[in-house]
Amino acid sequence: MATTTVPPALAPTRRRFTVAEYYAMAEIGILAENDRVELLEGDLIVMPPIGDWHAACVDRFTNLLPPRLQGRAVVRVQGPTRLNYRSEPQPDVMLLRWRDDFYQGGHPGPGDVLLLIEVADSTLDYDRGAKLSAYARAGIPEVWIVTRENRRIEAYTEPESGAYGTVRYAGPGESISPQAFPDVVLEVDRVVAG
């Protein structure tokens, strides 16, 4: 009687995507223009809908920052930044190095970003975890996470080896400034309401 050899079972593996494949999915209609997705470390992340509190915080930043940074930084709202060939997240607000063409020739990369702001309502664990680590690995100099639960801004600086070396907190009744623009002072209460 002949014996047969059964091949070993293969473990499931994760299929990671590149930024080029991400755009190809959009071009052929797998991803629609209005889909709330972003690419992080090759994973396609489906983002929850933007709630009222989240939208209001983003709108407050959008109204407070541009007049103070006119001609010094580009304020980009919910636009992409390419961290590497496998990551292109869409932070809520970014302060970018000033360019007259407003990055028309391509999305900004880590060297263009002065500050990223993530407004965390339902995504706090993701923002503090995988996303913050990806930003640190890319060398983004400063990241703010706005938290609804504590009504505060967490400011992360000094990226090194996938982590930020310093975190400071600004809560109700306090003010905060981006490292790149210490003259731009924001009152936490004016940004993080409710």
Side-chain angles (χ1 to χ4, degrees):
M1 174 175 219
T3 61
T4 58
T5 306
V6 177
L10 296 175
T13 59
R14 176 182 283 164
R15 166 62 162 91
R16 296 192 184 271
F17 298 98
T18 66
V19 172
E21 292 168 328
Y22 175 58
Y23 277 90
M25 286 187 270
E27 287 174 18
I28 63 172
I30 294 172
L31 298 176
E33 185 176 339
N34 293 330
D35 285 345
R36 293 235 336 119
V37 296
E38 63 183 19
L39 187 67
L40 193 70
E41 301 302 334
D43 290 329
L44 198 59
I45 308 296
V46 178
M47 302 299 290
I50 295 173
D52 295 339
W53 179 85
H54 184 283
C57 279
V58 171
D59 289 346
R60 287 183 189 103
F61 278 116
T62 304
N63 282 279
L64 291 171
L65 290 170
R68 299 172 188 194
L69 294 169
Q70 181 61 44
R72 300 194 298 159
V74 173
V75 179
R76 181 169 281 192
V77 178
Q78 295 173 335
T81 180
R82 186 161 302 163
L83 301 181
N84 58 46
Y85 79 105
R86 288 201 184 273
S87 293
E88 193 173 278
Q90 297 180 30
D92 291 307
V93 181
M94 286 188 286
L95 301 187
L96 305 171
R97 293 186 191 288
W98 180 262
R99 279 188 28 187
D100 290 335
D101 73 344
F102 289 85
Y103 296 88
Q104 182 176 337
H107 295 314
D112 301 310
V113 179
L114 302 169
L115 170 67
L116 290 181
I117 301 172
E118 294 287 0
V119 176
D121 188 357
S122 59
T123 61
L124 185 56
D125 290 340
Y126 172 61
D127 291 333
R128 279 188 185 145
K131 214 166 188 185
L132 190 63
S133 182
Y135 292 153
R137 281 192 302 281
I140 303 298
E142 185 171 18
V143 176
W144 290 0
I145 297 178
V146 181
T147 67
R148 184 176 190 175
E149 67 182 5
N150 299 327
R151 294 186 56 235
R152 70 180 183 192
I153 298 173
E154 303 171 358
Y156 296 85
T157 56
E158 300 179 29
E160 188 175 328
S161 303
Y164 283 92
T166 302
V167 60
R168 66 187 196 282
Y169 304 95
E174 298 177 322
S175 297
I176 190 167
S177 297
Q179 279 188 328
F181 302 101
D183 60 307
V184 177
V185 179
L186 298 175
E187 297 171 19
V188 173
D189 293 327
R190 290 195 63 197
V191 179
V192 188

